[in-house]
PDB file of all heavy atoms in Angstrom:
ATOM      1  N   ASP M  49     -15.483  46.882  13.603  1.00 95.00           N
ATOM      2  CA  ASP M  49     -14.564  47.728  14.357  1.00 95.00           C
ATOM      3  C   ASP M  49     -13.704  46.943  15.342  1.00 95.00           C
ATOM      4  O   ASP M  49     -12.998  47.532  16.169  1.00 95.00           O
ATOM      5  CB  ASP M  49     -15.344  48.812  15.095  1.00 95.00           C
ATOM      6  CG  ASP M  49     -15.899  49.862  14.143  1.00 95.00           C
ATOM      7  OD1 ASP M  49     -15.278  50.092  13.089  1.00 95.00           O
ATOM      8  OD2 ASP M  49     -16.959  50.450  14.445  1.00 95.00           O
ATOM      9  N   GLY M  50     -13.770  45.614  15.268  1.00 95.00           N
ATOM     10  CA  GLY M  50     -12.880  44.775  16.061  1.00 95.00           C
ATOM     11  C   GLY M  50     -13.237  44.673  17.530  1.00 95.00           C
ATOM     12  O   GLY M  50     -12.369  44.322  18.348  1.00 95.00           O
ATOM     13  N   LEU M  51     -14.482  44.951  17.869  1.00 95.00           N
ATOM     14  CA  LEU M  51     -14.887  44.912  19.271  1.00 95.00           C
ATOM     15  C   LEU M  51     -15.302  43.505  19.679  1.00 95.00           C
ATOM     16  O   LEU M  51     -16.059  42.839  18.978  1.00 95.00           O
ATOM     17  CB  LEU M  51     -16.038  45.881  19.514  1.00 95.00           C
ATOM     18  CG  LEU M  51     -15.704  47.362  19.295  1.00 95.00           C
ATOM     19  CD1 LEU M  51     -16.960  48.208  19.418  1.00 95.00           C
ATOM     20  CD2 LEU M  51     -14.644  47.833  20.281  1.00 95.00           C
ATOM     21  N   GLU M  52     -14.796  43.063  20.813  1.00 93.00           N
ATOM     22  CA  GLU M  52     -15.122  41.755  21.358  1.00 93.00           C
ATOM     23  C   GLU M  52     -15.648  41.919  22.778  1.00 93.00           C
ATOM     24  O   GLU M  52     -15.389  42.920  23.444  1.00 93.00           O
ATOM     25  CB  GLU M  52     -13.871  40.856  21.382  1.00 93.00           C
ATOM     26  CG  GLU M  52     -13.218  40.631  20.038  1.00 93.00           C
ATOM     27  CD  GLU M  52     -13.984  39.645  19.175  1.00 93.00           C
ATOM     28  OE1 GLU M  52     -14.758  38.845  19.741  1.00 93.00           O
ATOM     29  OE2 GLU M  52     -13.816  39.671  17.943  1.00 93.00           O
ATOM     30  N   GLY M  53     -16.382  40.915  23.244  1.00 95.00           N
ATOM     31  CA  GLY M  53     -16.784  40.894  24.651  1.00 95.00           C
ATOM     32  C   GLY M  53     -17.969  41.760  24.995  1.00 95.00           C
ATOM     33  O   GLY M  53     -18.235  41.989  26.179  1.00 95.00           O
ATOM     34  N   GLY M  54     -18.684  42.252  23.985  1.00 96.00           N
ATOM     35  CA  GLY M  54     -19.896  43.003  24.268  1.00 96.00           C
ATOM     36  C   GLY M  54     -21.034  42.081  24.651  1.00 96.00           C
ATOM     37  O   GLY M  54     -20.889  40.853  24.655  1.00 96.00           O
ATOM     38  N   HIS M  55     -22.187  42.662  24.971  1.00 96.00           N
ATOM     39  CA  HIS M  55     -23.289  41.815  25.402  1.00 96.00           C
ATOM     40  C   HIS M  55     -24.583  42.143  24.677  1.00 96.00           C
ATOM     41  O   HIS M  55     -24.876  43.284  24.360  1.00 96.00           O
ATOM     42  CB  HIS M  55     -23.483  41.879  26.925  1.00 96.00           C
ATOM     43  CG  HIS M  55     -23.592  43.252  27.489  1.00 96.00           C
ATOM     44  ND1 HIS M  55     -22.485  43.991  27.876  1.00 96.00           N
ATOM     45  CD2 HIS M  55     -24.664  44.028  27.762  1.00 96.00           C
ATOM     46  CE1 HIS M  55     -22.880  45.155  28.358  1.00 96.00           C
ATOM     47  NE2 HIS M  55     -24.201  45.208  28.298  1.00 96.00           N
ATOM     48  N   ILE M  56     -25.329  41.087  24.423  1.00 98.00           N
ATOM     49  CA  ILE M  56     -26.674  41.154  23.873  1.00 98.00           C
ATOM     50  C   ILE M  56     -27.618  40.757  25.000  1.00 98.00           C
ATOM     51  O   ILE M  56     -27.469  39.683  25.586  1.00 98.00           O
ATOM     52  CB  ILE M  56     -26.837  40.191  22.685  1.00 98.00           C
ATOM     53  CG1 ILE M  56     -25.877  40.571  21.545  1.00 98.00           C
ATOM     54  CG2 ILE M  56     -28.275  40.165  22.198  1.00 98.00           C
ATOM     55  CD1 ILE M  56     -25.756  39.504  20.465  1.00 98.00           C
ATOM     56  N   ILE M  57     -28.567  41.629  25.319  1.00 95.00           N
ATOM     57  CA  ILE M  57     -29.470  41.358  26.433  1.00 95.00           C
ATOM     58  C   ILE M  57     -30.911  41.293  25.947  1.00 95.00           C
ATOM     59  O   ILE M  57     -31.412  42.228  25.308  1.00 95.00           O
ATOM     60  CB  ILE M  57     -29.349  42.431  27.531  1.00 95.00           C
ATOM     61  CG1 ILE M  57     -27.900  42.544  28.028  1.00 95.00           C
ATOM     62  CG2 ILE M  57     -30.290  42.113  28.690  1.00 95.00           C
ATOM     63  CD1 ILE M  57     -27.377  41.318  28.745  1.00 95.00           C
ATOM     64  N   LEU M  58     -31.582  40.195  26.248  1.00 96.00           N
ATOM     65  CA  LEU M  58     -33.005  40.023  25.958  1.00 96.00           C
ATOM     66  C   LEU M  58     -33.787  40.566  27.151  1.00 96.00           C
ATOM     67  O   LEU M  58     -33.655  40.055  28.274  1.00 96.00           O
ATOM     68  CB  LEU M  58     -33.354  38.553  25.748  1.00 96.00           C
ATOM     69  CG  LEU M  58     -32.809  37.848  24.495  1.00 96.00           C
ATOM     70  CD1 LEU M  58     -31.317  37.528  24.622  1.00 96.00           C
ATOM     71  CD2 LEU M  58     -33.594  36.559  24.236  1.00 96.00           C
ATOM     72  N   LEU M  59     -34.600  41.578  26.926  1.00 94.00           N
ATOM     73  CA  LEU M  59     -35.275  42.272  28.016  1.00 94.00           C
ATOM     74  C   LEU M  59     -36.744  41.893  28.178  1.00 94.00           C
ATOM     75  O   LEU M  59     -37.477  42.546  28.926  1.00 94.00           O
ATOM     76  CB  LEU M  59     -35.147  43.788  27.824  1.00 94.00           C
ATOM     77  CG  LEU M  59     -33.734  44.346  28.009  1.00 94.00           C
ATOM     78  CD1 LEU M  59     -33.682  45.826  27.643  1.00 94.00           C
ATOM     79  CD2 LEU M  59     -33.250  44.143  29.439  1.00 94.00           C
ATOM     80  N   ASN M  60     -37.155  40.817  27.516  1.00 94.00           N
ATOM     81  CA  ASN M  60     -38.508  40.287  27.725  1.00 94.00           C
ATOM     82  C   ASN M  60     -38.416  38.917  28.397  1.00 94.00           C
ATOM     83  O   ASN M  60     -37.550  38.108  28.040  1.00 94.00           O
ATOM     84  CB  ASN M  60     -39.250  40.115  26.404  1.00 94.00           C
ATOM     85  CG  ASN M  60     -39.599  41.417  25.729  1.00 94.00           C
ATOM     86  OD1 ASN M  60     -38.963  41.809  24.756  1.00 94.00           O
ATOM     87  ND2 ASN M  60     -40.612  42.102  26.244  1.00 94.00           N
ATOM     88  N   PRO M  61     -39.302  38.636  29.332  1.00 93.00           N
ATOM     89  CA  PRO M  61     -39.334  37.289  29.900  1.00 93.00           C
ATOM     90  C   PRO M  61     -39.887  36.297  28.892  1.00 93.00           C
ATOM     91  O   PRO M  61     -40.561  36.675  27.924  1.00 93.00           O
ATOM     92  CB  PRO M  61     -40.278  37.433  31.102  1.00 93.00           C
ATOM     93  CG  PRO M  61     -41.196  38.544  30.715  1.00 93.00           C
ATOM     94  CD  PRO M  61     -40.348  39.506  29.918  1.00 93.00           C
ATOM     95  N   ALA M  62     -39.639  35.011  29.134  1.00 94.00           N
ATOM     96  CA  ALA M  62     -40.109  33.976  28.210  1.00 94.00           C
ATOM     97  C   ALA M  62     -41.629  33.944  28.113  1.00 94.00           C
ATOM     98  O   ALA M  62     -42.181  33.469  27.116  1.00 94.00           O
ATOM     99  CB  ALA M  62     -39.586  32.616  28.647  1.00 94.00           C
ATOM    100  N   SER M  63     -42.308  34.463  29.133  1.00 94.00           N
ATOM    101  CA  SER M  63     -43.768  34.484  29.127  1.00 94.00           C
ATOM    102  C   SER M  63     -44.357  35.603  28.271  1.00 94.00           C
ATOM    103  O   SER M  63     -45.563  35.631  28.009  1.00 94.00           O
ATOM    104  CB  SER M  63     -44.291  34.645  30.564  1.00 94.00           C
ATOM    105  OG  SER M  63     -43.800  35.853  31.139  1.00 94.00           O
ATOM    106  N   SER M  64     -43.523  36.521  27.824  1.00 95.00           N
ATOM    107  CA  SER M  64     -44.006  37.668  27.067  1.00 95.00           C
ATOM    108  C   SER M  64     -44.398  37.269  25.646  1.00 95.00           C
ATOM    109  O   SER M  64     -43.719  36.460  25.005  1.00 95.00           O
ATOM    110  CB  SER M  64     -42.912  38.742  26.996  1.00 95.00           C
ATOM    111  OG  SER M  64     -43.233  39.726  26.032  1.00 95.00           O
ATOM    112  N   PRO M  65     -45.447  37.874  25.098  1.00 96.00           N
ATOM    113  CA  PRO M  65     -45.791  37.623  23.691  1.00 96.00           C
ATOM    114  C   PRO M  65     -44.726  38.146  22.729  1.00 96.00           C
ATOM    115  O   PRO M  65     -44.719  37.765  21.556  1.00 96.00           O
ATOM    116  CB  PRO M  65     -47.113  38.372  23.508  1.00 96.00           C
ATOM    117  CG  PRO M  65     -47.162  39.377  24.604  1.00 96.00           C
ATOM    118  CD  PRO M  65     -46.427  38.764  25.752  1.00 96.00           C
ATOM    119  N   TYR M  66     -43.846  39.012  23.226  1.00 96.00           N
ATOM    120  CA  TYR M  66     -42.773  39.551  22.391  1.00 96.00           C
ATOM    121  C   TYR M  66     -41.494  38.708  22.461  1.00 96.00           C
ATOM    122  O   TYR M  66     -40.541  38.983  21.736  1.00 96.00           O
ATOM    123  CB  TYR M  66     -42.417  40.978  22.837  1.00 96.00           C
ATOM    124  CG  TYR M  66     -43.508  41.992  22.645  1.00 96.00           C
ATOM    125  CD1 TYR M  66     -44.328  42.349  23.708  1.00 96.00           C
ATOM    126  CD2 TYR M  66     -43.716  42.606  21.410  1.00 96.00           C
ATOM    127  CE1 TYR M  66     -45.329  43.294  23.545  1.00 96.00           C
ATOM    128  CE2 TYR M  66     -44.718  43.548  21.243  1.00 96.00           C
ATOM    129  CZ  TYR M  66     -45.521  43.887  22.318  1.00 96.00           C
ATOM    130  OH  TYR M  66     -46.508  44.824  22.149  1.00 96.00           O
ATOM    131  N   TYR M  67     -41.468  37.719  23.352  1.00 96.00           N
ATOM    132  CA  TYR M  67     -40.204  37.018  23.611  1.00 96.00           C
ATOM    133  C   TYR M  67     -39.631  36.362  22.358  1.00 96.00           C
ATOM    134  O   TYR M  67     -38.425  36.459  22.104  1.00 96.00           O
ATOM    135  CB  TYR M  67     -40.377  35.968  24.708  1.00 96.00           C
ATOM    136  CG  TYR M  67     -39.102  35.167  24.932  1.00 96.00           C
ATOM    137  CD1 TYR M  67     -38.035  35.716  25.637  1.00 96.00           C
ATOM    138  CD2 TYR M  67     -38.959  33.886  24.396  1.00 96.00           C
ATOM    139  CE1 TYR M  67     -36.860  35.002  25.816  1.00 96.00           C
ATOM    140  CE2 TYR M  67     -37.786  33.167  24.570  1.00 96.00           C
ATOM    141  CZ  TYR M  67     -36.739  33.729  25.282  1.00 96.00           C
ATOM    142  OH  TYR M  67     -35.572  33.027  25.450  1.00 96.00           O
ATOM    143  N   GLN M  68     -40.456  35.695  21.589  1.00 97.00           N
ATOM    144  CA  GLN M  68     -39.922  34.962  20.436  1.00 97.00           C
ATOM    145  C   GLN M  68     -39.266  35.900  19.424  1.00 97.00           C
ATOM    146  O   GLN M  68     -38.224  35.569  18.847  1.00 97.00           O
ATOM    147  CB  GLN M  68     -41.028  34.131  19.777  1.00 97.00           C
ATOM    148  CG  GLN M  68     -41.468  32.933  20.603  1.00 97.00           C
ATOM    149  CD  GLN M  68     -40.328  31.981  20.947  1.00 97.00           C
ATOM    150  OE1 GLN M  68     -39.409  31.765  20.137  1.00 97.00           O
ATOM    151  NE2 GLN M  68     -40.365  31.419  22.145  1.00 97.00           N
ATOM    152  N   GLU M  69     -39.848  37.074  19.215  1.00 98.00           N
ATOM    153  CA  GLU M  69     -39.225  38.027  18.293  1.00 98.00           C
ATOM    154  C   GLU M  69     -37.951  38.609  18.898  1.00 98.00           C
ATOM    155  O   GLU M  69     -36.954  38.816  18.186  1.00 98.00           O
ATOM    156  CB  GLU M  69     -40.199  39.145  17.931  1.00 98.00           C
ATOM    157  CG  GLU M  69     -39.625  40.204  16.988  1.00 98.00           C
ATOM    158  CD  GLU M  69     -39.097  39.658  15.667  1.00 98.00           C
ATOM    159  OE1 GLU M  69     -39.495  38.539  15.247  1.00 98.00           O
ATOM    160  OE2 GLU M  69     -38.277  40.354  15.035  1.00 98.00           O
ATOM    161  N   THR M  70     -37.962  38.861  20.193  1.00 98.00           N
ATOM    162  CA  THR M  70     -36.745  39.330  20.872  1.00 98.00           C
ATOM    163  C   THR M  70     -35.645  38.281  20.758  1.00 98.00           C
ATOM    164  O   THR M  70     -34.483  38.599  20.457  1.00 98.00           O
ATOM    165  CB  THR M  70     -37.059  39.655  22.337  1.00 98.00           C
ATOM    166  OG1 THR M  70     -37.895  40.821  22.387  1.00 98.00           O
ATOM    167  CG2 THR M  70     -35.799  39.922  23.140  1.00 98.00           C
ATOM    168  N   ARG M  71     -36.003  37.037  20.981  1.00 98.00           N
ATOM    169  CA  ARG M  71     -35.037  35.943  20.867  1.00 98.00           C
ATOM    170  C   ARG M  71     -34.522  35.814  19.432  1.00 98.00           C
ATOM    171  O   ARG M  71     -33.320  35.604  19.208  1.00 98.00           O
ATOM    172  CB  ARG M  71     -35.681  34.630  21.319  1.00 98.00           C
ATOM    173  CG  ARG M  71     -34.732  33.431  21.346  1.00 98.00           C
ATOM    174  CD  ARG M  71     -35.456  32.198  21.898  1.00 98.00           C
ATOM    175  NE  ARG M  71     -34.562  31.063  22.010  1.00 98.00           N
ATOM    176  CZ  ARG M  71     -34.308  30.203  21.031  1.00 98.00           C
ATOM    177  NH1 ARG M  71     -34.900  30.371  19.845  1.00 98.00           N
ATOM    178  NH2 ARG M  71     -33.484  29.186  21.213  1.00 98.00           N
ATOM    179  N   ARG M  72     -35.414  35.944  18.472  1.00 98.00           N
ATOM    180  CA  ARG M  72     -35.003  35.846  17.067  1.00 98.00           C
ATOM    181  C   ARG M  72     -33.992  36.936  16.725  1.00 98.00           C
ATOM    182  O   ARG M  72     -32.991  36.685  16.041  1.00 98.00           O
ATOM    183  CB  ARG M  72     -36.222  35.957  16.151  1.00 98.00           C
ATOM    184  CG  ARG M  72     -35.910  35.672  14.676  1.00 98.00           C
ATOM    185  CD  ARG M  72     -37.082  36.001  13.772  1.00 98.00           C
ATOM    186  NE  ARG M  72     -37.303  37.442  13.669  1.00 98.00           N
ATOM    187  CZ  ARG M  72     -36.577  38.242  12.871  1.00 98.00           C
ATOM    188  NH1 ARG M  72     -35.592  37.758  12.124  1.00 98.00           N
ATOM    189  NH2 ARG M  72     -36.853  39.531  12.822  1.00 98.00           N
TER     190      ARG M  72
END
Side-chain angles (χ1 to χ4, degrees):
D49 289 331
L51 296 174
E52 301 284 338
H55 52 272
I56 298 167
I57 304 294
L58 291 75
L59 291 174
N60 291 104
S63 59
S64 167
Y66 295 98
Y67 176 77
Q68 289 303 324
E69 179 57 21
T70 291
R71 184 176 183 273
R72 188 189 71 80

